[in-house]
Amino acid sequence: MPPAVAETVAVLALLGVLAFAVVRPRGWPEAVAAVPAAVLVVATGALPFARAADEVVRLAPVVAFLAAVLVLSQLCADEGLFEAAGGWLARADGPHRLLGLVFVVAAVTTAVLSLDATVVLLTPVVFATAGRLGVRARPHVYACTHLANSASLLLPVSNLTNLLAFAAAGVSFTRFAALMAAPWLVVVVAEYLVFRFFFAGDLTAAAAPRAQGSRPVPVFALVLLALTLAGFVVTSLFGIEPVWAAVAGAVVLAIRGLSRRHTTVRGLAGAMSPPFLVFVLALGVVVRAVVDNGLDTAVGHLVPAGSSLLALLVIAGVAAVLANLINNLPAVLVLLPLVAPAGAGAVLALLIGVNLGPNLTYVGSLATLLWRRVLHEHDRRVDLGEFTRLGLLTVPGTLVLAVLALWAGLHVIGGGA
Amino acid sequence: MTVLVWIAEGIWQAAVDAARAHAGTDEVVLLHVSDDDVPGVAHGAFAGLLGRGRRGRDPGRHIADLAATSGAELLAAAADRLDRPARLEQRHGRVEREVVAAAEGAALLVVARDGDPARLGPHSLRPHARFVVDHAPCPVLLVWPHDPPAVADIPPPPQHPPHEHPHHPPSDAPHHPPPEPRDDPSHRPPHGPPPHRRHGSLGDPPPHPPHA
């Protein structure tokens, strides 16, 4: 097949997958379109079978890691970790203090249990806590949704984009965390300052809090999470894949949860969300076909080589824009093969872009289309302007600050393995 | 006739107390509006998680349910404080517009200031209450959520009147020319007469030439 035809087939397949994700006919999972699209690019010869198989084998450990983290966070929820977090947040005496605590909890939850945990499990708890305290929920809910993206820089487990890049960056778990610690901290602090300014009007009134019982702290789950984090460090010291630490943590917590009937096998299988894992594999194959058939040469020259400060800024900027246009998951899959040869610094700059970028949603982006569909399903009208204004205030600034912090870290720590 | 009382987080007590004092024999309606933006933002965050599409996990849904429950609890607390029969009404949407819509046909709308209680003046009203005050289709009773400020707390008037006041006497012109009307070329007919100017006539050109 001529490369131009193969590229056309691959691009159409990718657009089809994204269009299906926007429309979601009958609420079918996204994998329903992604798997046939992957089969299509292989069957038409746009991507040789061996390349497709390579891609699946390369992504399989990433997907397993993702499954372990998803199960781990669901098990922590079943153990009552997020209710306990809500109880801790409810100690806040006033909206300013609550916002500070929400930032701490959301940043740590995102870093350790991934952005999915913050969006799905923490946000409703934060909303309920704001209600209990009699303060306006808006700044605190916005904080959760923003930090789910921007606080997902710290660890490879914090975001699926990080897991994908971690496999390609050639750095250890601890070096990844060491290089991303400063960008993570800088971004969280900068977001906090913008939130204090942007939501000043919402952070005023407070009523007397309603009476509430204190929540038991799930000590076992907290200790196990700490051990899992320690396991990430230890495995990387001994050259073992850190996925085993996540799997071990999930298995131990699952055995306890099942024996105490806090959780069910069905619940765990649901938390793992098999259609999502299949979707990631199929999307990887489709994007591979798009990259191999000419995107690498067409776009390759737009991505600067090397890890000068300017190169890192350009990479992060391009990644942020692409993450808005086609969502951060396809964006990282597209850019990773182009950026990976430039080294760990470039890959981490790419992550800064795709992780911070989604907070800059603007009309016409894929995320906005997805959002509009969900709002329409629920008959809700939302002022997208406020979200966009907040994004414009936070994203460009945090992007530059995070890249500066990364660049400094690369000079101090070094980007080697 | 009905008296509508807007019950909002943190400031509703003052509105209920005012309704108790001023409602007379009218029917009292307690209204709570939950903001669609908050569950909407959570919907958006979940929608951004490409590929996870299981609707049961959507936090926006969960938050909308919690908001309805929390609104109902707030209304129940307000009804308790009111201590007389009242109709409870819950809405969701754009808060300020829902309040105005609900006030149609009411004899009185009771609103508590929702801004910064530490700052008198414009900052004591946030955009929501500002919109309601500006667009209410009935009389509005605007109350402070705490004790009203003393008259002595009002800051003194500015010493120098602002320069750009449109009704300056002409004698002021040489030193402080009043602003020219906006001379926007896009509003000027292409071949029409020159735009009207506040100062000067054909025989008396303005002291300062126009900028454009």
Side-chain angles (χ1 to χ4, degrees), chain A residues 18 21 24 26-27 30 74 115-116 119-120 123-124 127-128 134-138 141-142 145 160 201-202 204-207 210 270-271 273 276 279 327 329-330 370-371 374-375 377-383 386-387, chain B residues 9-13 34-55 57-59 61-67 70 73-74 92-95 98 113-117 126 128:
Chain A
L18 297 179
R24 290 282 307 286
R26 300 190 183 194
E30 292 86 345
Q74 183 59 50
L115 82 168
D116 287 54
V119 170
V120 175
T123 309
F127 178 82
V135 305
R136 297 191 182 103
R138 171 195 294 266
V141 169
Y142 262 99
T145 63
L160 174 55
D202 281 306
T204 50
R210 273 172 265 163
S273 49
F276 176 38
F279 171 75
N327 190 285
L329 198 48
L370 290 163
W371 194 356
V374 177
L375 292 175
E377 272 171 19
H378 291 88
D379 186 29
R380 300 261 162 189
R381 290 160 300 281
V382 168
D383 179 12
E386 181 175 48
F387 189 90
Chain B
E9 282 77 5
I11 49 174
W12 55 272
Q13 291 89 339
S34 55
D35 194 339
D36 267 1
D37 277 2
V38 175
V41 166
H43 279 309
F46 186 70
L49 300 177
L50 190 66
R52 279 78 151 184
R54 290 194 306 146
R55 289 180 194 176
R57 293 176 68 80
D58 186 338
R61 210 182 243 207
H62 196 160
I63 287 180
D65 293 345
L66 286 171
S70 156
E73 285 173 10
L74 207 55
H92 72 84
R94 299 277 285 261
V95 175
E98 293 297 325
R113 288 179 190 267
D114 57 357
D116 188 344
R126 286 198 321 144
H128 284 176

